[in-house]
Amino acid sequence: MASTDQPRRAKPTPAAVVSGPASITPLFPLLLLETMRDMDLPEEVLEDEDVSISLPRRLGLSDVIGGQIRRLQGEVRAKRPQSPAYVADLIRLVIRRPDAQRIFEEAGRRVARHFWERRAGTTRRLVRILPGPFARVAANRALRRMFQQLVGDRDFSVRRWPADLRISRSLSVEADPGGAACAIYAGAFGELLHSYTGREYRIRHHECLAHGGAACRWTVEVMS
């Protein structure tokens, strides 16, 4: 569960020009688009129903998004990093939607679940039976590996317990000066901690570049 202590700006500044080398895992944009597509699928389709006629076409179900998803699936198989500019363009596409923050947070959770499921089954079982302090150490190491791929060439740090994530020059804010896209990182942060420790956390985004902070920072509070 993510929350923020920062009020949203009434008039956000224009999005920054995003540059930098191709350094972001293709899994990030792929899961972002797949999340948008899945949220646009009808909850129920009747037999013989022509969805293209009965349901207004949404962006997530368009041929353009379908083509991008297929391209990114190939990029994931090739393990080919994506440019920050390309990822920022996709973030700007999502922020036009009223459910943007929900999409961002769920996409972040999916990224974390992917990283967790890539671990061998024996490793996952071992982590789950480790005493709390050892599980948290393993979680912190996993967070560093994951965010290295998520933020690319931008500086970040993960502090030991209580876990604290700090990102300088956050791509989410460069693409979305309103700050909603920061939910990507909050979702990934909380989900990976949950996977490693079995606990639920509230993620507090208590400092944000979008609201005058020196960096984007998130801390955790145990819920259960």
Side-chain angles (χ1 to χ4, degrees):
M1 178 177 180
S3 65
T4 176
D5 296 334
Q6 300 289 341
R8 292 182 63 83
R9 286 182 175 174
K11 295 181 179 180
T13 55
V17 175
V18 178
S19 61
S23 55
I24 297 174
T25 173
L27 190 69
F28 178 172
L30 171 62
L31 292 180
L32 180 60
L33 292 184
E34 286 186 344
T35 300
M36 181 170 65
R37 177 202 62 194
D38 293 348
M39 289 190 176
D40 283 350
L41 289 171
E43 294 183 1
E44 181 180 7
V45 179
L46 301 177
E47 188 176 357
D48 298 327
E49 178 183 6
D50 187 341
V51 176
S52 65
I53 296 175
S54 63
L55 190 76
R57 178 169 287 278
R58 296 189 179 185
L59 179 60
L61 304 179
S62 70
D63 292 338
V64 172
I65 296 302
Q68 286 298 307
I69 288 174
R70 290 189 293 274
R71 186 190 76 80
L72 286 165
Q73 288 170 339
E75 297 292 273
V76 169
R77 287 192 293 269
K79 299 180 179 180
R80 187 174 296 118
Q82 304 298 294
S83 72
Y86 172 69
V87 178
D89 284 343
L90 296 184
I91 290 174
R92 291 175 183 134
L93 188 67
V94 175
I95 61 175
R96 300 173 184 174
R97 298 171 54 115
D99 58 350
Q101 188 159 346
R102 184 164 151 255
I103 292 173
F104 289 133
E105 189 171 349
E106 173 59 22
R109 291 194 188 103
R110 292 186 184 193
V111 169
R113 286 196 289 268
H114 175 87
F115 275 83
W116 168 250
E117 290 165 2
R118 280 197 329 186
R119 308 294 292 171
T122 53
T123 300
R124 296 199 302 270
R125 288 192 293 272
L126 176 62
V127 167
R128 282 292 177 84
I129 64 174
L130 286 173
F134 295 100
R136 291 194 292 268
V137 169
N140 275 73
R141 290 174 178 169
L143 284 168
R144 292 187 186 97
R145 290 193 296 269
M146 180 177 69
F147 278 99
Q148 183 64 61
Q149 297 189 48
L150 276 178
V151 305
D153 66 335
R154 283 146 173 78
D155 293 332
F156 78 98
S157 63
V158 179
R159 191 181 68 184
R160 290 192 174 186
W161 207 257
D164 179 287
L165 170 66
R166 182 182 187 277
I167 302 177
S168 302
R169 292 179 51 237
S170 172
L171 175 63
S172 60
V173 174
E174 290 183 19
D176 170 25
C182 290
I184 295 169
Y185 302 129
F189 190 30
E191 184 68 25
L192 198 65
L193 281 173
H194 168 69
S195 296
Y196 272 78
T197 67
R199 308 289 295 273
E200 295 289 343
Y201 300 93
R202 177 179 291 107
I203 307 300
R204 301 195 69 87
H205 188 18
H206 58 86
E207 184 178 356
C208 185
L209 287 161
H211 306 293
C216 279
R217 290 186 62 195
W218 295 262
T219 56
V220 301
E221 295 178 359
V222 178
M223 295 177 62
S224 63

